[in-house]
């Protein structure tokens, strides 16, 4: 499916993903959100650490890596 990236610019400047139906799929808590890769997961960062989330917003690789993955 298709989704839109949303930014909470008023409060935090964080990013999340909203489905085309308008449902928040990935919370507005990341400083960076990458594209969905071939395995269906998305690289994210909280500004300090990097990890990966699936398309339901569940962390599949925790945000604990200081370098980009």
């Amino acid at each position: 499916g298709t989704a839109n990236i949303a930014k909470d610019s008023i409060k935090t400047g964080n990013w999340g993903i909203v489905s085309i139906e308008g449902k928040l799929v990935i919370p507005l808590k990341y400083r960076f959100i990458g594209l969905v890769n071939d395995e269906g997961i998305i690289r994210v960062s909280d500004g300090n650490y990097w990890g990966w989330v699936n398309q339901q917003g569940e962390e599949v690789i925790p945000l604990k890596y200081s370098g980009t993955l």
Side-chain angles (χ1 to χ4, degrees):
T2 303
N4 297 306
I5 296 177
K7 183 175 183 184
D8 182 15
S9 59
I10 296 173
K11 294 182 181 179
T12 65
N14 289 345
W15 295 88
I17 295 182
V18 178
S19 71
I20 57 172
E21 294 84 20
K23 178 183 174 191
L24 186 62
V25 179
I26 296 180
L28 298 164
K29 68 178 193 175
Y30 298 106
R31 300 300 292 171
F32 172 87
I33 295 182
L35 300 174
V36 177
N37 71 9
D38 292 339
E39 297 169 356
I41 58 176
I42 305 159
R43 184 171 55 126
V44 295
S45 173
D46 64 4
N48 296 308
Y49 298 101
W50 294 86
W52 292 82
V53 297
N54 62 22
Q55 294 180 55
Q56 291 74 43
E58 303 164 330
E59 290 185 4
V60 292
I61 299 177
L63 276 79
K64 64 178 185 178
Y65 299 96
S66 59
T68 59
L69 300 172

